[in-house]
């Protein structure tokens, strides 16, 4: 057999295995780009390969090898169909949740979305407390179109007798300006770090007012900003594809971070938009990108309190900001468990030691540091730790799996009713959620 033909056969085998893998893992957020048209192309390609192999007598030739190759290429469409059926069954189960349960658990979720009709149904049934709008919601659209869409969702909530949706977005300025365009693209707050103190405060408040005014005009009422992580001293590693905190952090000086962030929040809140400080316990010392990998923070608590955590404590004590907790494990408090679902961090440190009684929201749960581990355990532990809002941003379709985790835990009495009751009180007080 010629070397070229051998290579061709090997490539057919390898490609077939890749297609099977894609089909089996079709619901995975890493493969979100394959859904819809991508799945159709995978299936059509698989059928075409099977047809070609059969026509060339691969089924008969080469004893078992040819038969196995044909069987291999029959598997991707079956795997895709199985994944789709699994997803639809879980979705149907969630949508049939008893109304009282739906509203009781639904008040804890903010979801990203692509389909208006799908998210409208979740909103009408009280299965979610809010939505997250980002680049794909504004791509190729006018501000007026997004405003009308948000207004339509709020109308449906009102007709259903439910409180207004939280409408959240990431509009930090700089590289994270997910609604710009159509909104104004402002520089990051880090661009103000070298100005005189008075000018820092004035410009930061102006940035906050601009963001707040423009977001409020769309119907967005919660901004996942500002970033309070300290800028890392050393250059981050080559595997940091998404966090890029060195470009987003305001400064490496805690006092400067606190001052600029507080002024920005004042401007944002004056325009009717809530602020969310992030990403506690801080990403400045962390080298791993939690979008894809687990991360640990092994610095002593005393040092963290004096540096990385100082802006969080100062800003939270002087504003109505929410607190976003990231997926970094604090070694001195709860080694190996991300802060986003650590009771030692959320209930122990934040609630009891710091006495912060505002809203705590997780970073996106569709991140590798959470998703690649025991997903359901993280969801249940987050609620039991006192987290108020769980964010499902990047791949909103994962909401059905996450909600099912919470609902199943409620069925087996694995949710802490005391924690849920306290969270309900905080949500009603802070966000006026019924």
């Amino acid at each position: 057999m010629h070397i070229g033909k051998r290579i061709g056969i090997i490539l057919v085998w390898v490609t077939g295995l890749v297609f099977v893998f894609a089909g089996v893992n079709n619901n995975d957020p890493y493969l979100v780009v394959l859904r819809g048209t991508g799945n159709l192309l995978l299936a059509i390609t698989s059928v075409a390969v099977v047809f070609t192999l059969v026509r060339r007598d691969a089924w008969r030739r080469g004893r078992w090898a040819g038969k196995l190759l044909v069987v291999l290429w029959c598997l991707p469409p079956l795997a895709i169909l199985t994944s789709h059926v699994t997803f639809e069954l879980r979705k149907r189960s969630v949508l049939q949740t008893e109304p009282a349960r739906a509203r009781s658990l639904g008040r804890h979720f903010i979801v990203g979305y692509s389909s208006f009709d799908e998210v409208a149904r979740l909103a009408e049934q009280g299965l979610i407390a809010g939505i997250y709008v980002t680049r794909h919601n504004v791509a190729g659209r006018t501000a007026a179109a997004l405003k009308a869409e948000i207004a339509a969702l709020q109308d449906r909530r009102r007709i259903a007798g439910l409180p207004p949706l939280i409408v959240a977005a990431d509009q930090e300025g700089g590289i994270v300006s997910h609604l710009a365009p159509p909104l104004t693209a402002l520089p990051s707050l880090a661009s103000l770090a070298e100005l005189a103190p008075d000018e820092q405060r004035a410009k930061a408040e102006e940035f906050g007012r601009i963001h707040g005014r423009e977001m409020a005009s769309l119907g967005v009422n919660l901004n996942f900003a500002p970033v309070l992580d300290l800028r890392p001293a050393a250059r981050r590693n080559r595997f940091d594809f998404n966090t890029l905190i060195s470009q987003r952090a305001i400064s490496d000086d805690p006092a400067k971070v606190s001052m600029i962030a507080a002024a920005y929040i004042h401007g944002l809140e004056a325009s009717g938009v809530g602020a969310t400080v992030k990403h506690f316990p801080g990403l400045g010392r962390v080298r791993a990108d939690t979008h894809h990998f687990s991360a640990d923070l092994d610095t002593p608590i005393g040092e963290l309190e004096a540096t990385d955590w100082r802006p969080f404590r100062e800003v939270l004590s002087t504003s109505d900001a929410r607190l976003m907790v990231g997926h970094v494990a604090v070694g001195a408090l709860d080694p190996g468990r991300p802060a986003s679902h650590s009771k030692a961090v959320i209930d122990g440190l934040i609630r009891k030691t710091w006495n912060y009684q505002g809203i705590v929201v997780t970073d996106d749960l569709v991140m590798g540091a959470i998703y690649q581990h025991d997903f359901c355990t993280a969801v249940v532990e987050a609620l039991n730790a006192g987290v108020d809002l769980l964010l499902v941003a990047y791949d909103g379709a994962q909401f059905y799996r996450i909600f099912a985790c919470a609902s199943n835990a409620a069925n087996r009495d694995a949710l802490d009713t005391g924690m849920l009751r306290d969270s309900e009180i905080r949500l009603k007080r802070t966000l006026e959620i019924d």
Side-chain angles (χ1 to χ4, degrees):
M1 187 182 294
H2 296 298
I3 187 69
K5 191 171 183 180
R6 285 182 180 276
I7 293 174
I9 291 174
I10 291 172
L11 288 175
V12 172
W13 274 98
V14 171
T15 305
L17 290 171
V18 170
F19 273 43
V20 172
F21 178 84
V24 169
N25 295 281
N26 200 248
N27 293 329
D28 192 282
Y30 277 106
L31 298 180
V32 67
V33 295
L34 293 181
R35 294 179 200 156
T37 304
N39 282 336
L40 183 61
L41 291 174
L42 283 178
I44 291 173
T45 302
S46 298
V47 171
V49 171
V50 169
F51 181 74
T52 302
L53 290 173
V54 171
R55 284 203 62 180
R56 294 188 176 184
D57 289 332
W59 182 261
R60 299 176 186 174
R61 190 186 306 160
R63 296 181 180 179
W64 290 105
K67 291 180 173 63
L68 286 174
L69 187 58
V70 172
V71 170
L72 174 68
W73 277 94
C74 287
L75 293 178
L78 294 175
I80 292 170
L81 179 61
T82 301
S83 295
H84 181 70
V85 170
T86 300
F87 173 79
E88 289 297 330
L89 288 174
R90 181 183 291 127
K91 177 180 175 179
R92 181 180 179 185
S93 175
V94 169
L95 292 174
Q96 292 178 342
T97 301
E98 188 269 329
R101 166 71 61 80
R103 295 186 181 199
S104 173
L105 293 178
R107 61 167 55 98
H108 297 290
F109 296 98
I110 296 177
V111 299
Y113 70 97
S114 298
S115 166
F116 173 84
D117 291 337
E118 186 171 4
V119 80
R121 187 171 182 184
L122 297 178
E124 288 172 331
Q125 294 184 215
L127 286 161
I128 58 174
I131 59 172
Y132 170 79
V133 292
T134 188
R135 288 191 179 98
H136 68 260
N137 298 108
V138 297
R141 305 177 69 192
T142 64
L146 180 59
K147 178 179 180 179
E149 183 171 279
I150 292 171
L153 289 172
Q154 297 291 23
D155 286 342
R156 296 198 182 196
R157 289 283 283 194
R158 187 165 50 252
I159 292 170
L162 292 165
L165 289 167
I166 301 166
V167 183
D170 266 324
Q171 194 73 352
E172 299 172 11
I175 63 171
V176 179
S177 300
H178 292 173
L179 299 184
L183 302 190
T184 302
L186 294 177
S188 69
L189 291 176
S191 65
L192 311 179
E194 301 308 316
L195 300 177
D198 288 346
E199 195 173 358
Q200 285 177 347
R201 282 188 288 266
K203 292 294 289 184
E205 184 169 342
E206 180 187 354
F207 281 15
R209 288 184 183 275
I210 293 171
H211 275 164
R213 182 173 62 250
E214 293 189 346
M215 295 172 81
S217 71
L218 295 179
V220 176
N221 50 40
L222 182 62
N223 193 12
F224 290 144
V227 168
L228 299 191
D229 311 87
L230 296 188
R231 182 182 298 155
R235 187 175 182 180
R236 292 183 60 81
N237 68 55
R238 69 185 67 180
F239 298 109
D240 178 13
F241 306 113
N242 298 95
T243 301
L244 304 172
I245 205 64
S246 60
Q247 299 179 49
R248 300 163 62 193
I250 295 172
S251 172
D252 59 0
D253 180 350
K256 193 174 291 188
V257 172
S258 295
M259 181 175 65
I260 292 174
Y264 173 83
I265 291 171
H266 186 268
L268 196 67
E269 292 178 342
S271 302
V273 175
T276 309
V277 297
K278 60 185 186 183
H279 312 77
F280 186 81
L283 298 173
R285 298 176 187 266
V286 177
R287 292 189 62 78
D289 183 347
T290 53
H291 289 82
H292 308 287
F293 311 106
S294 298
D296 299 291
L297 185 60
D298 295 322
T299 308
I301 296 297
E303 185 176 346
L304 290 170
E305 288 277 12
T307 54
D308 300 59
W309 294 355
R310 179 180 162 189
F312 289 97
R313 296 196 70 171
E314 291 178 349
V315 172
L316 291 174
S317 67
T318 58
S319 71
D320 293 324
R322 288 70 166 158
L323 173 63
M324 178 177 283
V325 180
H327 307 313
V328 176
V330 182
L333 295 177
D334 198 354
R337 180 178 283 105
S340 54
H341 57 98
S342 168
K343 191 167 186 176
V345 173
I346 296 166
D347 185 53
L349 176 72
I350 295 170
R351 299 289 188 207
K352 291 186 170 65
T353 302
W354 289 12
N355 196 32
Y356 174 70
Q357 300 306 317
I359 299 301
V360 171
V361 56
T362 68
D363 203 347
D364 188 4
L365 293 177
V366 191
M367 293 171 69
I370 298 295
Y371 191 84
Q372 293 177 7
H373 301 278
D374 192 338
F375 204 31
C376 275
T377 295
V379 170
V380 174
E381 287 186 350
L383 291 171
N384 287 344
V387 169
D388 301 297
L389 296 170
L390 281 69
L391 177 63
V392 189
Y394 172 69
D395 181 8
Q398 301 304 324
F399 164 75
Y400 299 105
R401 181 180 174 189
I402 291 174
F403 190 94
C405 290
S407 186
N408 291 336
N411 288 338
R412 63 178 190 272
D413 296 324
L415 293 181
D416 188 326
T417 55
M419 282 293 185
L420 291 179
R421 186 169 54 252
D422 291 344
S423 179
E424 180 183 354
I425 292 170
R426 285 191 296 270
L427 288 168
K428 285 182 176 180
R429 180 181 65 241
T430 307
L431 303 174
E432 299 182 357
I433 293 177
D434 297 326

